[in-house]
């Protein structure tokens, strides 16, 4: 019986994790949950799963939840809140495995504390590796505990890596769907609307990650995550566009053999893999190999998608640069979604923030959060200065 | 330093193995060689590699080789011949690893004796698994020694299997190029010429295996090999046509994940893999992943290619049936190459021989060779009766 904490239980990955737990009641026990602000969902989860502890983001929500649970005769469920509450969920003594799936930097501290407490980590929170990857991977190594990736690309890489030893890896190939603008001429990028950008061809995801997929920034984040998760230099992590997203990623070994992983595009599969690793257990998520027909590939166009180039530059520099990359992107994407800036301006804001950020190692989560706040401030300023950055400078990326 | 014997040193796999040994002089030592009847090639190999022992098929060739080597001042190389000579090469005390690459049943006894002598086997001889697979795999299990496949499909499967445990395997998917008649209408099969059938789209190989690729019998043999090598029931080994032959094969796990292997189509790669397993060492055989463009797949057409169906039926029945499948195919293909029978008659002869063969376990190499001889006799008879089997019966496969 694996005893599980979920950080971000009401989000998409959190719900998929609970769905996996539902399918294998003999294998997984949900011990603690950290929800966000969705009180109804948190209440339903607490009633269904009867965790030892559940945390809400806000104290007021925690108070409401506590009294509702008491009325249901579930007063024994401890209801906590805020950052300290999330840490309590992540480090609970009865937890073996922590699914880290809180979007944004809110999950950083709790994830880091989970690793420090010797938990095995299933990582679905991008910021853990993009912003604080150096800290978290170093701590996991110190603890001798695996970090198990839950997004489909890194999960695929993890599976392919089983075909050899780490020192036998020549290169990691992350596949990218290419997003909705793969075949859109660069000249039309300035006119891209929010609705167009939210229309991702293969995955149904949250709004920010959908825009990040459209700019290929999401792939850039994945390059950074791969570098940190698998201790690879950026030059050994490459991206290849594969519009069908059938092959989730590949590993090239020094002898010239390449292993690729594919499966249905269902997040429950990498979640199940992470939760059961090093075992594999039967699931109903079958990919019909006999229905395979065509797989297409092409190299990414870094001129059309400068965000990918910026990610390589940030991870090459390391430290605060990748924190700034993530923070500036979050601000820029929010501004795009609000209609404050154009699609083409997303990479420009990020590039400006990166240029204004010192590289340099960050040796605590506190410093990561400081760097994050500073980059957000810079990015907000750039958005506010929007008028100034509009216009012909967009061509500097062409 | 791995000490190597090559059974079939002057053939294609033998020469590729020597080419690998040439590239890694610090890793591999050629200890013994079994050549066939190519005296010049055997002499050149003996001079270059200075093996302890070299064997020729015929005694007369061995005598000539012995005296030529003596003249070169290489009289210390022991020259032997025939079946006993091949066994001596395969079981030499200084040998760790035996590459079994003698085409046909000639290599069976020596390969089996190599396993009995505790050698690690690199298998490139199809008959070892098709005709005598039950015996050889049982003996390797008893010895606790791995059987390392050297053809590209099974080598790919071996690599993909590293992604999980054997009991976690749902299915093996062997890829097939589909051969030169993938898109030829079935109605034109009766008129297929030898020249058309010898024109394989991706691999340059010997004449028999090229025809076997055109009928998909080669894929049928590979299904049988996979069943025996990986201890899988026939229902768990499937074939998918993949004309580019980029992906060499795939393994589907119970959780729904599929691993696929690809690489350049160069036999030195699986040879290197087998010779260095469980290590991987750097090679110059790079597949340019960034040049990947299109991979196509479709299910095999068992009506057009009844040989594949016959292979499933033979392995399902086991014992003498797979021996007969191989023997009858060899006779039928030779008859086709000589112009004695048409392309469509290859599967008909095999089917007739299978129908006339009892299944039943063969518990010695001697019995395998007896069953082989009997099936050849039956097949020769069917070829001689050629006139009777021509004509409309071909449609029974349609």
């Amino acid at each position: 019986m694996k005893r599980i904490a979920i950080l971000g239980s009401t989000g998409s990955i959190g719900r998929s994790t609970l769905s996996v737990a539902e399918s294998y009641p003999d294998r997984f026990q949900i011990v603690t949950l950290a929800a966000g602000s969705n009180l109804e969902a948190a209440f339903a989860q607490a009633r269904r799963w009867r965790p030892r502890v559940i945390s809400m983001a806000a104290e007021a929500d925690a108070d409401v939840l506590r009294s509702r649970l008491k009325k249901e005769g579930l007063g024994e469920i401890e209801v906590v809140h805020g950052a300290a509450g999330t840490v309590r969920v992540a480090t609970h003594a009865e937890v073996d495995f922590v699914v880290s799936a809180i979007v944004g930097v809110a999950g950083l501290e709790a994830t880091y504390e989970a690793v420090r407490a010797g938990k095995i980590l299933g990582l679905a929170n991008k910021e853990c590796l993009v912003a604080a990857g150096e800290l978290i991977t170093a701590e996991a190594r110190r603890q001798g505990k695996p970090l198990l990736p839950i997004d489909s690309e890194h999960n695929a890489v993890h599976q392919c890596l089983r075909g050899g030893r780490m020192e036998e890896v020549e290169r990691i190939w992350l596949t990218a769907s290419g997003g909705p603008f793969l075949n859109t001429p660069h000249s039309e990028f300035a006119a891209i609307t929010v609705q167009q950008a939210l229309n991702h061809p293969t995955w149904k995801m949250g709004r920010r990650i959908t825009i990040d997929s459209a700019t290929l920034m999401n792939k850039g984040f994945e390059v950074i995550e791969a570098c940190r998760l698998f201790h690879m230099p950026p030059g050994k992590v490459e991206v290849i566009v594969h519009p069908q997203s059938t092959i989730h990623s590949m590993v090239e070994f020094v002898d010239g053999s390449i292993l690729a992983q594919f499966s249905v595009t269902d997040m429950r599969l990498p979640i199940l893999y992470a939760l059961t690793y090093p075992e594999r257990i039967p699931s109903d998520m079958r990919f019909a190999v006999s229905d395979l027909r065509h797989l297409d590939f092409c190299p990414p166009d870094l001129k059309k998608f400068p965000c990918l180039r910026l990610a390589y530059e940030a991870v090459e520099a390391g430290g605060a640069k990748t924190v700034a990359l993530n923070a500036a992107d979050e601000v820029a994407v929010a501004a795009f979604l609000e209609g404050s800036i154009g699609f083409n301006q997303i990479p420009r804001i990020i590039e400006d923030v990166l240029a204004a950020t010192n590289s340099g190692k960050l040796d605590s989560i506190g410093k990561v959060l400081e760097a994050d706040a500073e980059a957000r401030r810079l990015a907000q300023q750039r958005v506010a200065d929007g008028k100034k950055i509009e216009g012909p400078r967009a061509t500097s990326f062409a």
Side-chain angles (χ1 to χ4, degrees), chain A:
Chain A
M1 188 65 94
K2 201 158 267 177
R3 299 171 305 172
I4 296 169
I6 304 177
L7 312 184
S9 65
T10 56
S12 162
I13 296 290
R15 283 179 284 119
S16 292
T17 304
L18 290 172
S19 159
V20 169
E22 185 105 43
S23 303
Y24 302 91
D26 299 342
R27 289 201 159 248
F28 307 120
Q29 183 195 349
I30 301 299
V31 177
T32 59
L33 295 171
S37 54
N38 186 336
L39 194 53
E40 283 313 313
F43 176 67
Q45 290 182 349
R47 203 161 53 168
R48 161 68 184 84
W49 292 99
R50 311 209 168 184
R52 295 267 194 276
V53 184
I54 185 165
S55 181
M56 299 299 295
E59 183 165 13
D61 287 336
D63 291 343
V64 175
L65 180 61
R66 193 177 299 110
S67 72
R68 284 185 63 182
L69 287 173
K70 197 166 278 177
K71 271 187 216 147
E72 291 276 320
L74 294 168
E76 75 280 10
I77 298 177
E78 184 184 347
V79 181
V80 295
H81 70 271
T86 314
V87 170
R88 170 134 178 75
V89 162
T91 58
H92 192 281
E94 287 173 46
V95 165
D96 308 311
F97 191 106
V98 175
V99 174
S100 172
I102 292 178
V103 176
V105 294
L108 277 194
E109 190 193 357
T111 303
Y112 185 62
E113 292 303 323
V115 180
R116 294 215 319 144
K119 311 302 187 193
I120 298 175
L121 208 61
L123 267 175
N125 165 316
K126 174 176 58 209
E127 284 77 10
C128 287
L129 288 171
V130 173
E134 288 152 333
L135 279 171
I136 288 176
T137 58
E139 183 61 29
R141 262 203 305 278
R142 203 160 23 237
Q143 296 282 344
K145 289 287 161 66
L147 290 180
L148 294 160
I150 285 182
D151 67 333
S152 62
E153 287 82 358
H154 302 91
N155 191 267
V157 170
H158 192 276
Q159 296 194 34
C160 294
L161 285 172
R162 296 169 74 164
R165 295 175 302 173
M166 283 311 295
E167 60 269 32
E168 294 165 354
V169 175
E170 176 77 20
R171 208 172 271 112
I172 286 172
W173 290 91
L174 300 175
T175 53
S177 73
F181 307 122
L182 176 60
N183 300 312
T184 305
H186 196 189
S187 57
E188 295 173 17
F189 269 40
I192 285 170
T193 66
V194 170
Q195 204 191 343
Q196 289 169 326
L198 283 176
N199 184 28
H200 191 270
T202 44
W203 291 93
K204 292 290 150 234
M205 303 171 294
R207 286 160 63 91
R208 181 188 168 197
I209 192 172
T210 302
I211 302 301
D212 283 343
S213 298
T215 62
L216 292 204
M217 180 51 98
N218 187 53
K219 207 49 57 178
F221 290 144
E222 290 177 5
V223 168
I224 299 171
E225 291 176 81
C227 290
R228 286 165 177 177
L229 205 43
F230 307 117
H231 311 297
M232 299 296 280
K236 291 194 160 199
V237 178
E238 300 218 34
V239 171
I240 184 162
V241 173
H242 169 40
Q244 292 94 350
S245 298
T246 299
I247 291 181
H248 297 317
S249 277
M250 315 190 250
V251 171
E252 180 178 350
F253 293 94
V254 291
D255 62 352
S257 283
I258 297 148
L259 292 185
Q261 189 267 359
F262 61 104
S263 62
V264 292
T265 50
D266 185 326
M267 288 311 297
R268 291 177 304 140
L269 203 146
I271 292 168
L272 180 65
Y273 176 88
L275 287 176
T276 60
Y277 178 82
E279 271 184 89
R280 292 180 184 271
I281 65 174
S283 87
D284 57 357
M285 294 176 275
R286 314 303 326 163
F287 184 98
V289 177
S290 52
D291 293 345
L292 259 183
R293 286 302 174 272
H294 307 289
L295 302 177
D296 301 306
F297 303 86
C298 66
D301 182 340
L302 293 185
K303 284 187 182 165
K304 269 168 70 175
F305 300 106
C307 285
L308 185 53
R309 170 178 60 76
L310 295 174
Y312 275 102
E313 291 171 11
V315 71
E316 196 70 69
K321 292 275 192 186
T322 58
V323 178
L325 184 83
N326 172 64
D329 177 69
E330 188 167 329
V331 170
V333 168
F336 170 69
L337 287 170
E338 285 162 8
S340 308
I341 63 169
F343 188 77
N344 257 346
Q345 290 165 332
I346 297 172
R348 290 173 51 198
I349 288 172
I350 299 166
E351 183 154 42
D352 288 348
V353 172
L354 280 182
T357 303
N358 293 321
S359 57
K361 223 172 132 95
L362 303 172
D363 56 9
S364 73
I365 295 289
K367 287 192 181 154
V368 168
L369 295 175
E370 273 171 35
D372 178 80
E374 171 62 12
R376 273 166 215 275
R377 197 188 54 74
L378 285 168
Q380 294 290 9
Q381 205 169 52
R382 299 301 295 151
V383 170
D385 293 349
K387 298 282 178 303
K388 288 181 217 153
I389 60 169
E390 268 173 41
R393 249 203 72 198
T395 56
S396 69
F397 303 110

